[in-house]
Amino acid sequence: MERLKAITEDFLRLELRNAQPETYYVPEGKILTPAAREYLQQRKIKIAKGEPPEAAPAEPAAPAAPAPAAAPAAAAAPTAKYRDHETGAFYMEKPEHMTQLFGNELVTKNHPRILFRGKLDSLQAMVVLDQALIAADGNQKLVDDLGSILDNLREMMRCDVLDETYCRQTIIGLTHQELRERSHNPQKFFGIKQMLLPDYTMGRDYALLNQLRAAVRETEVAAATAFLTGSKCTRPDIMEELNRLSSALHIMMCMYLAGMYRKEDGRT
C-alpha cells in the first residue's frame, strides 16, 4: 500500500508565507504532522479535508467601466527538496538528524541501511590502513590482493547508494565458484588444514587478514539487518558478495600460511 504523504510545518511556512487563508484544505491521501496542525491553529486557520470548494458563478451584470489592473498572482507553492523515505513527509531543508538514502529520499542516521553503510565505510578504512602497514615491508602481492578486496567493497557501496545491482564476478582473480571451492577445501589447494585458530605466532600480516575477515562478517550481519524482512531479502546480490569476500580473506590467510605471499627476500 502506498505510504501517506505528510505535510510538515516547514512546508506550510513556505506555502503560506504570502497568504492568510480562512481554511487550509488537506488533499486526500495526505496528512498534517502534529507541528503543522499546531502552526495552522496558531495562525487561526481552519483545517478541512479535500479540495477547496469552487466559487459560485457570478450573476450577469450590466457593462461596467474597465476594471483596474489585476493584482499580482499569488506565488506558486514551493517545491519540497526532500522526502522522508519512511513517512512520505516533505522537507524544504535536510534536518540534521537525517541523511540521504538515495536521490532526495531521507532517513534517520540510525536507519539500518545507514548503519550498514557505516560498517562498509569502516571496513574500507581498515583495508587501506592494512595496505599501508604491509606496503612498508614490501609485500606487494599481498597489498595488491587487498586492493582487489577494497575495489569490491567500494563497488558495493556505489551500488547500494545508487540502488544498482552488483555485477562483479571475481575477487583476487577468482570467480565465486573458485572462491567457494578453495575456501571449503584448503587442504587440497594450499596444503593447509581447515579452521586453524589464529595465533600471534603466525605473524602480524596474518593477524591483520583475520581481523578483516571478522570485520566482513560483522558487515554481513549489518547487511542482513538492513536487507532482510522475515525470509525475504531485498539485496541478495550484496549478501552473496559479502559471503564471498569473507571466503576470499579466508583463502588469503591460507595462502599466507602456505608461503604464497613471500617477498623477494623469501620472507612472508
Side-chain angles (χ1 to χ4, degrees):
M1 190 173 83
E2 185 180 358
R3 296 190 182 97
L4 289 175
K5 295 182 178 179
I7 299 174
T8 63
E9 177 187 359
D10 187 28
F11 184 83
L12 284 179
R13 285 184 180 276
L14 285 169
E15 184 180 10
L16 303 178
R17 66 185 182 275
N18 295 321
Q20 179 65 29
E22 182 179 344
T23 303
Y24 185 85
Y25 292 89
V26 182
E28 292 296 331
K30 295 189 179 182
I31 60 173
L32 291 173
T33 65
R37 183 175 294 276
E38 182 179 353
Y39 172 71
L40 291 173
Q41 291 169 348
Q42 288 174 351
R43 291 186 55 174
K44 301 187 184 305
I45 299 174
K46 297 176 184 178
I47 301 171
K49 279 282 189 182
E51 299 296 327
E54 294 182 5
E59 295 183 3
T79 302
K81 294 180 181 177
Y82 301 101
R83 178 181 179 276
D84 190 311
H85 183 71
E86 297 296 330
T87 68
F90 293 108
Y91 300 95
M92 304 309 299
E93 301 294 337
K94 183 169 67 67
E96 291 295 330
H97 69 283
M98 303 189 81
T99 189
Q100 287 172 256
L101 181 62
F102 47 79
N104 69 338
E105 299 279 306
L106 299 182
V107 292
T108 56
K109 290 183 177 179
N110 65 347
H111 189 277
R113 290 278 294 275
I114 304 306
L115 292 174
F116 162 66
R117 290 179 188 174
K119 283 285 188 182
L120 200 55
D121 191 24
S122 296
L123 183 54
Q124 292 176 55
M126 290 176 63
V127 175
V128 172
L129 178 59
D130 290 352
Q131 283 181 299
L133 293 172
I134 295 168
D137 291 338
N139 196 330
Q140 191 58 45
K141 177 171 173 50
L142 184 50
V143 170
D144 291 343
D145 279 357
L146 285 173
S148 175
I149 300 291
L150 183 61
D151 287 344
N152 280 270
L153 291 172
R154 287 173 172 169
E155 176 66 6
M156 185 181 299
M157 179 74 87
R158 190 191 71 82
C159 289
D160 180 46
V161 171
L162 298 181
D163 203 26
E164 295 180 359
T165 301
Y166 188 98
C167 297
R168 288 203 174 193
Q169 299 298 318
T170 62
I171 311 173
I172 61 171
L174 300 173
T175 66
H176 284 190
Q177 181 61 32
E178 291 169 336
L179 289 167
R180 186 179 181 86
E181 292 171 352
R182 284 158 176 75
S183 180
H184 286 198
N185 196 349
Q187 181 70 50
K188 173 184 175 181
F189 290 95
F190 311 110
I192 302 297
K193 292 181 180 179
Q194 195 164 8
M195 300 303 292
L196 281 176
L197 291 178
D199 187 88
Y200 77 94
T201 59
M202 295 175 176
R204 182 204 63 181
D205 292 353
Y206 185 85
L208 292 175
L209 291 173
N210 184 56
Q211 184 184 43
L212 287 176
R213 181 198 57 79
V216 169
R217 285 299 189 193
E218 290 181 354
T219 306
E220 190 174 8
V221 173
T225 303
F227 300 125
L228 290 180
T229 303
S231 60
K232 181 180 179 182
C233 180
T234 58
R235 291 304 302 257
D237 53 334
I238 288 179
M239 296 299 300
E240 179 183 8
E241 187 63 19
L242 284 167
N243 200 4
R244 296 298 173 265
L245 279 167
S246 65
S247 295
L249 283 159
H250 175 226
I251 290 169
M252 291 172 69
M253 293 166 69
C254 293
M255 292 170 63
Y256 181 89
L257 293 180
M260 299 174 71
Y261 285 120
R262 294 188 183 278
K263 293 175 284 189
E264 292 182 1
D265 59 5
R267 295 181 294 116
T268 54

